[in-house]
Amino acid sequence: MSNTIINSTKAQYLKDYQVPPFLVRNTELTFELNSGFTQVTAVVQYYKNGEHNLPLVLNGEHQKLISIQLNQQLLNENDYELEEDTLTFTPQVDEFELTIISQIDPANNTSLEGLYLSEGAYCTQCEAQGFRRITYFQDRPDVLSTFTTHIIADVKQYPYLLSNGNKISEHTLDNGLTQVTWQDPYKKPCYLFALVAGDFDLLTDSYTTNTGRKVALELFVDKGNLHRAEHAMASLKRAMAWDEERFSLAYDLDIYMIVAVDFFNMGAMENKGLNVFNSKCVLADSQSATDADYLSIESIVGHEYFHNWTGNRVTCRDWFQLSLKEGLTVFRDQEFSMDLGSRAVNRIQQAKIMREHQFAEDAGPMSHPIRPESVIEMNNFYTVTVYDKGAEVIRMLHSILGEEKFQQGMQLYIERHDGQAVTCDDFVSAMQDASGIDLSQFKLWYSQSGTPIVNIETHYNEAQSIYQIKITQGTPATADQPEKQALHIPINVAFYSEDGEPLALTLDGHTSNEQVINLTQTNQTFTFDCSKQPIVSFLRDFSAPVKLDYQYADDTLAQLILAETSAYTKWELMQTLYIQHLKLNVENAEYVYPTLITELLAELLSDTRLDKAMLAEVLKVPSFASLLEHFEQADVDAILRAQNALALHIAENLKTELTQVYQNNYRQTYQYNGEAIAERALANACLSILAELATDQIQALIVEQYQQSDNMTNTLASMSAAAKLKAQSSFSQIMEDFNQKWQGDALVMDKWFATFAKQDNDDILTRLDQLQQHPDFNWNNPNRVRALVGQFAMFNYPQFHHKSGRGYQYLAKVIKRLNSINPQVAARMITPLIQYKKLDQHRQNLIISELKKLAELPTLSKDLFEKISKSLPTS
Ligand code: B3K
Ligand code: ZN
């Protein structure tokens, strides 16, 4: 029942949106959790939405219909039409109640959508369209309802029976089972419904809002994991306080619960009052989690909490509007992390995601605007475009309006739409009305896909004391959209004199060394009054999600890197310098890197005023994925060779400096605070580059760090460094030691799987096969699959792209297997195969032949169908 694949591959279109024909007054659900099937009874009060004679079409999948009653009268089979995924009923009255009883099979639900079991605990995932796997319902976000949920179960086995809202009763039934009832007073779409039943350890705390409401905070984790729950709880409290302070938004129920489960398709889910989280995004202690894990947990806990207003209280009219809640909530969680931590380092991570993943998505077969126009499987659109480019669009709005007007816009948006399901246009209208700024051209960012290229030419006219910046914008055609228009692009610039001092220039009467150029046309020239030749950095702080095409001279870059006052932009300019020379080396294998690179790095390494975490990022050679963006068709081998050569060049020339900085920043005793995190990042970045040298001395240093380490950040950094050493004995010993220590703790073992999966080792496929037999590996658990297969396909560039095609064959085999276990995970995992256009023809052909075989699968899920059919060549 649970895993048959529904094969409707019809696309849905935004332009076809129609209001729901029926609305819902209240939904009352009863779940009888037995060891076998779960029986669900749904009592729903419907009323007609306007004048019409349309039928009520309920969505329902993977369940057995037991009975339907209309106003408590049993219907017979002629009264309704039951199809594979719908139940259609034509009522004769405008208001009525339907009682539908159906049975579902959570124990065999490996898709992890709807109601399923995670290591013996029941839990749900309903977004986007999982509620239809629970009961027959209008499974769309614009049908809002209050929900009352009764859960009947054996409390000896399931001591905690949870759902949304407030618990209003608990009593023992005649049969000895317990019935718990929850009521959610806020109307919500069914995708925010949640149910959890299980045995957990519980961490409790409380938070008092600025309106004086005392909120009980409850965090449920697998037994034995309480010591790993505190960081998530502290993060939640920080998020609650931050949202009050920065956005004037306070929590609205008396209880906020988070449940961590090990089987989960994504990071977490913002169900009203009852978030369900992937345990990876909750559990942390210094022994088992890295600094990156700590920061990611803080940001995800924040993200789900922030959804309470941007997503739950104001939700989406239809799924095409997903970025309304996701782009905005990502922006909010980014600002939360930036206000609490290093603004520059956070911005670097955000820019990397855009360049390495979002630009690639836009250049590939799944290109779509942040508000897509057509969708086959909604789960395929929880993308870097909708989320991260969506957040960049909000960030541009924020920079155009400024913080104050932006916050006024937010207040107006919430005031107007609280309790409603609305559109991206509604959001932009609120921003426009509150600020008085015309956003009509800006709105194009919602409907146009693709990465704009901004070409810049500059000219200084000494005689007239003017500096001209000539800008041309163009967005290359994408797979989904051939025609493009000019966008409103804010380009932040800063001017410096040649001796590195800020230099104020005047544009339209405004004089400053930092200016925002509002580009709105295809070609535009901006003329500044300027007394001497400036050097200029463009697109500071990544002010728009575009590619910059401007030819910097090396020495100008060097001057700017030292002069720049924005730490992010220093990093960005250093990337530009690296990339310019990597490109030369890709074209010419004999190329020798300029001493300028190492001289600059030496200078930066000795500058004690710099943010150490930012400096750690500066030391990292641009990734393969970010380099791909700079080529029409890439020579994979030449790019990898150039990257290695650059890293080795830096290691050889700066061995002394790197060793010194390593020693100055390496601490044996663990502390968790911003400074300690930055020091670890810097020391480990040095260690990673030094590992390129693979000398006995470096090997000893790596082994020593592993042996001394009292925290996972340093442990993992030494493991990754050891993976680079030519002599494999140290690596093997370290890996065996880690296995002995952590076997049985699958979440931690994911790091071990990932370290193997990323190693550039010619026996990698044998290794992957062996690891699949490891007792902690489990094909049904997405975390395990992502740690092993995902890391291999996404980050082991030399082996995944091995010219024999064996890496592609391996991934295709895995996808075939996952297609029947968990279509959502299979479809996520296929990304590196469908983004093949930048590779050479030989590799493209190898990939296409694998994709063709997958396309032939008789039970291909619609998730994979959508991606594969879009990526196969048409002829
Ligand atoms: N809203 C969920 C994602 C649901 C994904 C469904 N395939 C988590 C989040 O973005 O907060
Ligand atoms: Zn979200």
Side-chain angles (χ1 to χ4, degrees), residues 109 128 154 285 303 331 561 649 743:
N109 180 359
D154 177 357
D285 64 5
H303 180 99
F331 172 77
I561 288 167
H649 174 81
Q743 202 175 123

Side-chain angles (χ1 to χ4, degrees), residues 262-280:
D262 208 35
F263 283 65
F264 205 67
N265 280 344
M266 321 87 45
M269 178 64 211
E270 70 264 24
N271 317 300
K272 183 80 190 185
L274 176 56
N275 289 183
V276 179
F277 267 63
N278 187 326
S279 54
K280 179 181 166 53

Side-chain angles (χ1 to χ4, degrees), residues 793-834:
M794 298 275 294
F795 301 111
N796 194 338
Y797 305 106
Q799 295 298 334
F800 176 65
H801 292 293
H802 193 275
K803 54 182 174 305
S804 64
R806 62 189 195 186
Y808 308 144
Q809 283 158 16
Y810 170 77
L811 182 59
K813 199 169 79 189
V814 167
I815 285 163
K816 181 174 168 197
R817 179 172 197 153
L818 291 172
N819 174 54
S820 48
I821 299 175
N822 188 329
Q824 229 183 100
V825 172
R828 288 224 157 219
M829 209 64 87
I830 204 171
T831 303
L833 285 181
I834 64 172

Side-chain angles (χ1 to χ4, degrees), residues 127 266 268 270 303-304 307 325-326 379 382 387 824:
E127 188 178 357
M266 321 87 45
E270 70 264 24
H303 180 99
E304 305 313 328
H307 267 315
K325 75 177 177 82
E326 295 305 346
N379 285 324
Y382 287 76
Y387 275 62
Q824 229 183 100

